Amino acid sequence: MIRSILLGLLLIAPASFANEAITEGPAGTEMAVFAGGCFWCTESDFDKMPGVVETISGYTGGEASTADYQQVSAGGPGHIESVAVFFDPSKTSYATLVEAFWKTIDPITPNAQFCDHGSQYSSALYYANDKQKALLEASREALARSGRFEQPIATLILPRQPFYPAEEYHQDYYQKNPLRYNFYRTTCGRDARLEELWGN
């Protein structure tokens, strides 16, 4: 709701939008996909990480062969808001990104992240092969056994599916519209909840 108001302030009238799945980024990078609720925020969080070369906000996990914001935000074709992260494997690793990701999300609330509710805002980790799947399962199990949370870990572990980039106005939103982005992030209670869950 908050984001819908902010987008309305930009006088954006989304026309028909069709996009193609992407599978690779800049030369020499590897691709990982994460879902942490609002993709503006997840993109911003990963852009701050050493070794991350590029991030793209988008949609994944649904049955449709394309996706757009109107469909996904309404809970349409089963896609989840997500971010493709392209990283330099000589400077960071998939495992490092996974461990950092946990502290950017609420891992104990299913079908929601902060003020955004619905399966399209679920938190999820996507694997491209059996090695990544085993790493994700071990990471989630370690968090579950850590004793930090009484509730079960709700974050999904899913096979990577076609990733569709979001509309251009969503890309790097936190840089293009910093005041609106910070208003949304604060009003949504994201950082307050993260501090409650993870501390400083």
Side-chain angles (χ1 to χ4, degrees), residues 26-42:
T29 65
E30 295 182 10
M31 178 179 177
V33 178
F34 301 90
C38 168
F39 47 28
W40 298 345
C41 300
T42 302

Side-chain angles (χ1 to χ4, degrees), residues 86-103:
F86 299 97
F87 63 96
D88 182 342
S90 71
K91 296 181 179 179
T92 191
S93 67
Y94 181 68
T96 298
L97 298 179
V98 169
E99 291 310 306
F101 172 71
W102 288 117
K103 294 183 180 179

Side-chain angles (χ1 to χ4, degrees), residues 49-62:
M49 290 194 62
V52 171
V53 175
E54 183 179 357
T55 56
I56 299 176
S57 289
Y59 318 103
T60 194

Side-chain angles (χ1 to χ4, degrees), residues 48-167:
K48 297 179 178 70
M49 290 194 62
V52 171
V53 175
E54 183 179 357
T55 56
I56 299 176
S57 289
Y59 318 103
T60 194
E63 296 179 0
S65 59
T66 187
D68 63 49
Y69 182 71
Q70 286 184 310
Q71 292 174 325
V72 176
S73 62
H79 291 289
I80 297 176
E81 280 201 16
S82 53
V83 172
V85 178
F86 299 97
F87 63 96
D88 182 342
S90 71
K91 296 181 179 179
T92 191
S93 67
Y94 181 68
T96 298
L97 298 179
V98 169
E99 291 310 306
F101 172 71
W102 288 117
K103 294 183 180 179
T104 70
I105 64 166
D106 174 351
I108 57 176
T109 301
N111 297 317
Q113 283 292 286
F114 314 102
C115 67
D116 293 315
H117 293 260
S119 60
Q120 67 272 36
Y121 299 112
S122 298
S123 63
L125 294 152
Y126 295 89
Y127 58 87
N129 51 52
D130 289 342
K131 181 179 179 181
Q132 288 187 353
K133 180 181 180 181
L135 185 154
L136 295 181
E137 290 175 341
S139 180
R140 184 173 65 179
E141 180 60 24
L143 181 59
R145 288 189 284 100
S146 70
R148 176 176 286 275
F149 306 116
E150 295 181 2
Q151 302 94 323
I153 304 302
T155 301
L156 304 170
I157 293 176
L158 300 168
R160 202 161 84 197
Q161 298 180 43
F163 178 88
Y164 301 98
E167 296 82 342

